[in-house]
């Protein structure tokens, strides 16, 4: 069945690619266009001045969802070109908005259309695992062994899949809670440095104010949505040192874990009883954006990934007009370990179709180490950056925002330094199917069509069926 799934995905991508050929999408999201005569193999030659002597120039194409604002691409790629003058990395931006779902669809189309792709980025573990299963990413173990390091030691995120490494991690983005400090002051609440989900719910209830269209909610949960943003259905799972996913490391279902049920109960309590979180029906029907909900002060707390560091002080598009503080991801119980949180990263891979895999790998290794420091937009997953350096990196990041003085830097640094990833569980190739099934059962619950018991039972049954089907 697993082979059938992969074949079906390939067929879908190829059909979509054929349809895309009827449009005019090849260059609409590409910057740094390839020079004439360069598109077929990514190479150029220029006369060095001596008859018959030529200097080879190499053009690598990087496909990414990352925007210039969030990734500082020009500065980063220029820095690489300075130390590698014969290599130019051409940026192919797959979404002007940084929309990862849009970018992934366009990446699949580009691969199906046999475009030159040398380096590609995935925004989450599921997308990474799926594209590896489709053969889109090349294994990097040979190059890693030659360089003499281990991914699990050199980086904070282990990217192994089935014993092989197909990508290196870029940024280290632990999840945290953004707080409207003005609202906290108004309610007489302090900035938490260590708290539980029960305390989080209590804060949300106390921060909720008003009624109707102008109501201010205590918190906003941005997911789940169409099988995405599933972190919001693992709130009491993903702060555990092990078994933090819907599937265990051995591939069996983890939905009988009491913390899955507890997460569902928390979501229902906050939305239906306390009425302190933005209703799920509003999120879906109105296509609400989490940035607007927080920065427009429609919600006082936002649980989100620390990719928001680059925006926390306000931007041209989303200005900051109040004081912001940061708190760590809540624990389940007071005695639990502090700082355990879901962590997201960029999975930076070498395309299996690249004619220049070694050169592409060299860029990937540089980008995920020194390049992260040059980029100055995120805390790197590379362990070469020590905890004491985090404060200075945060200064650089905040300096790129409009009002860094409104950010409680101490609470931000404390939260980032104390954050640590739970055990990374390699996602199954059918992870998206699992997400979709659980999302659909949650919708029945939150829209009042079944209770928590039925939701847990039905979700587990569907996931077990998906696991069994993919083992055949």
């Amino acid at each position: 069945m697993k082979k059938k799934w992969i074949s079906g995905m390939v067929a879908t991508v190829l059909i979509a690619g054929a349809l895309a050929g009827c449009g005019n999408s090849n260059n609409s999201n590409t910057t740094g266009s390839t020079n004439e005569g360069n598109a077929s193999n990514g190479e150029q030659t220029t006369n060095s001045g001596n008859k018959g002597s030529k200097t080879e120039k190499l053009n690598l194409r990087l496909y990414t969802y990352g925007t210039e604002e969030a990734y500082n691409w020009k500065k980063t790629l220029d820095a690489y070109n300075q130390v590698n003058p014969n290599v130019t990395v051409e940026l192919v931006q797959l979404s002007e908005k940084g929309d990862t779902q849009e970018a992934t669809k366009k990446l699949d189309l580009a691969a199906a259309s046999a475009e030159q792709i040398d380096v590609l980025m995935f925004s989450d573990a599921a997308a990474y695992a799926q594209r590896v299963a489709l053969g889109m990413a090349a294994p990097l173990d040979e190059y890693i062994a030659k360089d003499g390091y281990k991914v699990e030691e050199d980086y904070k995120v282990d990217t192994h899949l089935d014993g092989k490494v197909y990508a290196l991690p870029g940024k280290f983005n632990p999840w945290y809670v953004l707080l409207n400090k003005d609202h906290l002051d108004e309610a007489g609440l302090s900035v938490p440095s260590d708290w539980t989900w029960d305390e989080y719910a209590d804060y949300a209830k106390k921060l909720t104010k008003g009624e109707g269209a102008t109501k201010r909610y205590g918190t906003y949960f941005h997911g789940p949505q169409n099988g995405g943003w599933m972190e919001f259905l693992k709130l009491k799972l993903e702060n555990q040192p092990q078994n933090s996913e819907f599937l265990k490391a051995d591939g069996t279902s983890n939905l009988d874990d009491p913390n899955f049920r507890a997460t569902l109960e928390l979501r229902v309590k906050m939305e239906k009883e306390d009425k302190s979180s933005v209703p799920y029906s509003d999120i879906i029907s109105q296509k609400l954006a989490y940035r607007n909900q927080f920065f427009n002060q429609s919600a006082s707390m936002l649980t989100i990934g620390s990719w928001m560091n680059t925006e926390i002080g306000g931007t041209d598009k989303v200005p900051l007009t109040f004081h912001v503080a940061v708190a760590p991801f809540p624990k389940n119980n007071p005695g639990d370990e502090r700082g355990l949180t879901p962590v997201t990263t960029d999975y930076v891979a070498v395309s299996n179709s690249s004619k220049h895999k070694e050169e592409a790998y060299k860029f990937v290794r540089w980008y995920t180490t020194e390049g992260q420091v040059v980029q100055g937009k995120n805390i790197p997953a590379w362990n070469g950056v020590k905890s004491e350096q985090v404060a200075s990196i945060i200064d650089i990041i905040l300096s790129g925002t409009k009002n860094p003085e409104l950010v409680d830097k101490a609470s931000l640094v404390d939260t980032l330094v104390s954050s640590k990833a739970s055990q990374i569980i390699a996602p199954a190739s059918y992870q998206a199917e699992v997400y979709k099934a659980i999302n659909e059962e949650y919708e029945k619950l939150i829209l009042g069509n079944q209770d928590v018991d039925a939701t847990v039972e039905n979700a587990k049954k569907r996931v077990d069926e998906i696991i069994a089907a993919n083992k055949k």
Side-chain angles (χ1 to χ4, degrees):
M1 182 67 183
K2 185 175 180 179
K3 290 182 179 178
K4 289 181 180 179
W5 178 86
I6 294 173
S7 299
M9 275 290 290
V10 172
T12 301
V13 169
L14 289 174
I15 291 169
L19 292 173
C22 299
N24 185 29
S25 61
N26 282 347
N27 299 316
S28 60
N29 288 285
T30 303
T31 62
S33 299
T34 307
N35 290 333
E36 187 177 353
N38 189 32
S40 61
N41 60 13
E43 293 182 10
Q44 292 176 287
T45 57
T46 59
N47 243 325
S48 64
N50 296 322
K51 186 176 180 181
S53 175
K54 293 183 177 181
T55 301
E56 187 175 88
K57 296 280 189 178
L58 184 65
N59 188 80
L60 299 175
R61 303 186 87 209
L62 163 62
Y63 279 62
T64 177
Y65 50 84
T67 62
E68 173 63 30
E69 183 178 51
Y71 280 81
N72 225 350
W73 284 122
K74 188 177 187 309
K75 176 184 176 183
T76 306
L77 300 184
D78 283 350
Y80 187 71
N81 185 242
Q82 285 179 10
V83 294
N84 296 274
N86 290 332
V87 180
T88 300
V89 181
E90 175 192 346
L91 186 67
V92 182
Q93 287 182 310
L94 296 167
S95 173
E96 294 179 357
K97 302 175 293 182
D99 186 317
T100 55
Q101 292 185 346
E102 175 190 8
T104 300
K105 290 177 183 177
K106 289 184 178 179
L107 176 62
D108 288 342
L109 291 173
S113 302
E115 292 183 19
Q116 180 198 330
I117 306 174
D118 298 292
V119 179
L120 30 79
M121 285 173 57
F122 306 111
S123 64
D124 61 83
Y128 167 48
Q130 288 166 7
R131 272 68 196 178
V132 167
L134 289 170
M136 286 175 63
L140 305 180
D141 303 83
E142 177 186 348
Y143 306 118
I144 292 170
K146 186 178 179 181
D147 280 353
Y149 67 92
K150 294 181 179 180
V151 170
E152 62 271 28
E153 295 175 357
D154 243 31
Y155 296 92
K156 295 182 178 72
V157 181
D158 187 351
T159 54
H160 278 86
L161 280 177
D162 297 326
K164 292 186 177 182
V165 175
Y166 295 88
L168 297 180
K171 61 193 178 187
F172 178 71
N173 277 343
W175 279 53
Y176 54 27
V177 181
L178 295 181
L179 306 160
N180 186 316
K181 194 170 183 302
D182 293 350
H183 290 176
L184 260 64
D185 292 344
E186 176 188 291
L189 299 170
S190 61
V191 177
S193 59
D194 188 16
W195 58 343
T196 65
W197 279 112
D198 285 343
E199 290 170 315
Y200 181 99
D202 183 57
Y203 265 56
K205 192 173 181 179
K206 291 176 179 176
L207 290 166
T208 299
K209 185 176 181 180
E211 295 292 340
T214 60
K215 180 176 180 177
R216 186 187 82 197
Y217 288 90
T219 194
Y220 175 81
F221 294 120
H222 192 55
Q225 294 192 44
N226 300 316
W229 294 100
M230 296 299 288
E231 293 88 354
F232 293 99
L233 284 187
K234 296 182 289 183
L235 297 175
K236 292 195 171 189
L237 278 172
E238 53 204 352
N239 59 11
Q240 299 302 294
Q242 296 178 327
N243 294 328
S244 59
E245 255 287 358
F246 295 130
L247 299 179
K248 297 178 183 178
D250 63 4
T252 59
S253 168
N254 193 33
L255 298 186
D256 54 359
D257 189 312
N259 288 323
F260 173 60
R261 171 187 292 274
T263 298
L264 298 178
E265 291 172 342
L266 175 72
R267 293 293 304 271
V268 170
K269 176 181 184 296
M270 293 184 69
E271 178 174 331
K272 303 297 185 181
E273 297 176 24
D274 298 346
K275 301 186 186 302
S276 60
S277 66
V278 178
Y280 181 80
S281 57
D282 289 355
I283 297 169
I284 301 302
S285 63
Q286 299 176 32
K287 297 181 179 180
L288 297 179
Y290 63 83
R291 288 176 177 85
N292 292 342
Q293 288 295 297
F294 183 71
F295 286 102
N296 290 349
Q297 304 193 66
S298 298
S300 301
M301 300 192 299
L302 175 67
T303 303
I304 202 68
S306 57
W307 59 78
M308 289 299 292
N309 289 345
T310 59
E311 304 174 46
I312 193 173
T315 64
D316 288 330
K317 293 180 181 178
V318 188
L320 176 64
T321 58
F322 54 92
H323 293 87
V324 172
V326 182
F329 197 78
K331 306 185 299 188
N332 294 349
N333 305 295
D336 290 349
E337 184 179 357
R338 177 176 181 253
L340 281 168
T341 180
V343 171
T344 59
T345 188
D346 291 323
Y347 295 85
V348 192
V350 172
S351 172
N352 213 12
S353 65
S354 174
K355 296 180 180 179
H356 310 285
K357 290 185 177 65
E358 184 171 3
E359 293 85 353
Y361 161 76
K362 287 179 180 177
F363 169 76
V364 169
R365 174 62 171 166
W366 177 88
Y367 173 72
T368 59
T369 55
E370 300 167 50
Q372 289 295 292
V373 179
V374 171
Q375 199 168 58
K377 285 289 187 178
N378 296 285
I379 303 301
W382 180 42
N383 280 325
V385 176
K386 305 303 179 184
S387 296
E388 57 268 21
Q389 295 176 270
V390 171
S392 60
I393 294 174
I394 288 298
D395 282 336
I396 295 171
I397 293 172
L398 291 180
S399 68
T401 64
K402 293 296 182 181
N403 295 102
E405 73 280 358
L406 294 178
V407 178
D408 182 349
K409 178 187 163 186
S411 66
L412 173 59
V413 171
D414 178 67
T415 295
L416 293 173
V417 169
S418 67
S419 294
K420 55 183 77 72
S422 303
Q423 179 193 42
I424 302 296
I425 298 174
S429 59
Y430 48 87
Q431 195 94 354
E433 296 178 66
V434 171
Y435 286 171
K436 184 174 183 291
I438 297 173
N439 193 155
E440 288 173 353
E441 294 305 320
Y442 172 75
E443 284 195 352
K444 295 175 188 176
L445 166 68
I446 206 67
L447 297 179
N449 297 319
Q450 66 184 15
D451 61 16
V452 171
D453 288 339
T455 301
V456 173
E457 181 181 351
N458 293 340
K460 188 175 188 310
K461 180 182 178 183
R462 290 181 64 179
V463 169
D464 284 341
E465 289 172 350
I466 291 168
I467 294 169
N470 281 275
K471 283 185 176 179
K472 295 179 182 178

